[in-house]
Amino acid sequence: MEFTHFNENGEAVMVDVGGKEDTVREASAGGRISMTRECLERVSTGRIKKGDVLGVARITGIMALKQTSNIIPLCHLMNLTYAEIRFSIHEADCEIKAVCTVRTTGKTGVEMEALTGVSAALLTIYDMCKAVDKTMTIGEICLLRKSGGKSGVFERSLR
């Protein structure tokens, strides 16, 4: 498999997708943030002074994923048709898992948008909670699922 973002001279290019067919494309990316039990309890009960942590993180993630082509230099500007970020609190592990799902009908996939959205959401949780817990760790950001296009379906689970 060759890298597609380089021309015959090894120079960076935006991939030409003009000849591709429009298909429904969807991608989900996930990640997690671990924190102290006290911090997780405060997030869960709405006792973080900066406000509704998960609500703000959800909006931030969606706003960020819409800007992916401005953040990642060779990404195409996408006409997105759907975006969602879901959180699940795992008290036993003192962590919050996030999953971002993005959809479009187009010539290229939305994996980078999903990865950008989940990353920004988790960073927002860190920012809003850092006064309570500076030891938080963000990790395991990965593509969970993608569908559409020539390569078909890819799927894995976030442990």
Side-chain angles (χ1 to χ4, degrees), residues 26-28 111 142-148 151-157:
E26 183 173 291
S28 295
E111 295 96 308
C142 61
L143 180 65
L144 298 174
R145 184 176 195 287
K146 63 122 347 239
S147 62
S151 64
V153 176
F154 166 84
E155 200 159 18
R156 80 163 139 216
S157 62

Side-chain angles (χ1 to χ4, degrees), residues 54-65:
L54 300 184
V56 172
R58 180 176 293 110
I59 296 300
T60 301
I62 291 170
M63 289 175 64
L65 69 86

Side-chain angles (χ1 to χ4, degrees), residues 3-149:
F3 290 110
T4 57
H5 286 81
F6 297 99
N7 66 15
E8 62 279 353
N9 298 321
E11 301 162 334
V13 296
M14 180 183 276
V15 175
D16 183 357
V17 297
K20 289 184 170 185
E21 293 293 320
D22 283 350
T23 62
V24 176
R25 299 174 181 257
E26 183 173 291
S28 295
R32 65 181 79 227
I33 184 167
S34 61
M35 59 189 62
T36 62
R37 190 160 307 284
E38 175 196 2
C39 187
L40 185 65
E41 181 192 304
R42 285 187 185 205
V43 171
S44 299
T45 59
R47 293 185 302 123
I48 296 290
K49 289 186 180 183
K50 289 188 175 183
D52 175 8
V53 173
L54 300 184
V56 172
R58 180 176 293 110
I59 296 300
T60 301
I62 291 170
M63 289 175 64
L65 69 86
K66 291 170 29 176
Q67 297 299 314
T68 301
S69 66
N70 292 324
I71 299 167
I72 309 297
L74 301 177
C75 282
H76 292 84
L77 180 63
M78 302 296 291
N79 183 20
L80 304 175
T81 58
Y82 175 80
E84 163 185 79
I85 299 178
R86 292 186 184 197
F87 299 103
S88 56
I89 295 174
H90 299 265
E91 291 181 20
D93 298 322
C94 290
E95 67 184 17
I96 300 170
K97 292 181 183 178
V99 175
C100 177
T101 301
V102 182
R103 189 177 311 126
T104 192
T105 299
K107 299 176 186 309
T108 189
V110 288
E111 295 96 308
M112 294 308 300
E113 286 73 13
L115 288 161
T116 299
V118 78
S119 298
L122 292 170
L123 286 167
T124 300
I125 294 170
Y126 187 97
D127 180 55
M128 293 185 74
C129 297
K130 68 183 183 272
V132 175
D133 180 8
K134 290 178 180 38
T135 69
M136 289 177 285
T137 303
I138 295 171
E140 296 191 36
I141 295 172
C142 61
L143 180 65
L144 298 174
R145 184 176 195 287
K146 63 122 347 239
S147 62

